[in-house]
Amino acid sequence: MAREKIRIRIKGYDHELVDEAVRKIVEAVKPTRAKISGPIPLPTERHLYTVLRSPHVDKKSMEHFELKIHKRLLDIREPTAATINALMDVELPAGIDVEIKL
């Protein structure tokens, strides 16, 4: 047994890519017989941006843009060395941020 728990936080702009990354991680860890808790959906961050449409005329005319960051949390309990090796070999889609804490 390498550690007691591995915590994985996954972030991304597209919720489908985030869910696909979670599925790939779970499929890689299941054969190693480690216990998986999750995926737990964390609150989605919303960033709102307001931009003037024209810099000189019509100052009241604005466009609004929204950026959402979707997050998931996975806990892997009782990992083995095979579990850590399986996590290192997982190919994740582009645009996904993964934080692993041992």
Side-chain angles (χ1 to χ4, degrees):
M1 182 183 302
R3 301 272 191 254
E4 295 177 8
K5 179 172 71 169
I6 298 174
R7 177 161 282 179
I8 302 172
R9 288 187 61 161
I10 302 166
K11 294 181 185 178
Y13 297 119
D14 186 7
H15 67 91
E16 293 173 355
L17 286 179
V18 172
D19 292 336
E20 180 184 337
V22 168
R23 272 193 296 274
K24 285 184 178 184
I25 291 172
V26 169
E27 289 173 4
V29 171
K30 273 190 179 179
T32 64
R33 295 185 179 157
K35 297 177 183 173
I36 302 171
S37 297
I40 301 166
L42 297 175
T44 301
E45 283 184 34
R46 288 179 57 212
H47 297 281
L48 298 172
Y49 300 100
T50 305
V51 180
L52 292 174
R53 288 185 190 208
S54 172
H56 304 292
V57 184
D58 299 325
K59 293 286 186 182
K60 293 182 183 177
S61 177
M62 298 181 187
E63 281 188 90
H64 302 282
F65 297 99
E66 178 180 50
L67 184 66
K68 289 186 177 182
I69 301 174
H70 302 275
K71 301 182 216 171
R72 303 289 184 272
L73 180 69
L74 275 171
D75 280 340
I76 301 172
R77 291 173 290 151
E78 301 174 12
T80 61
T83 306
I84 295 171
N85 290 336
L87 283 174
M88 295 301 167
D89 294 337
V90 174
E91 292 289 329
L92 296 176
I96 298 296
D97 179 37
V98 178
E99 294 177 20
I100 299 176
K101 290 185 182 179
L102 300 174

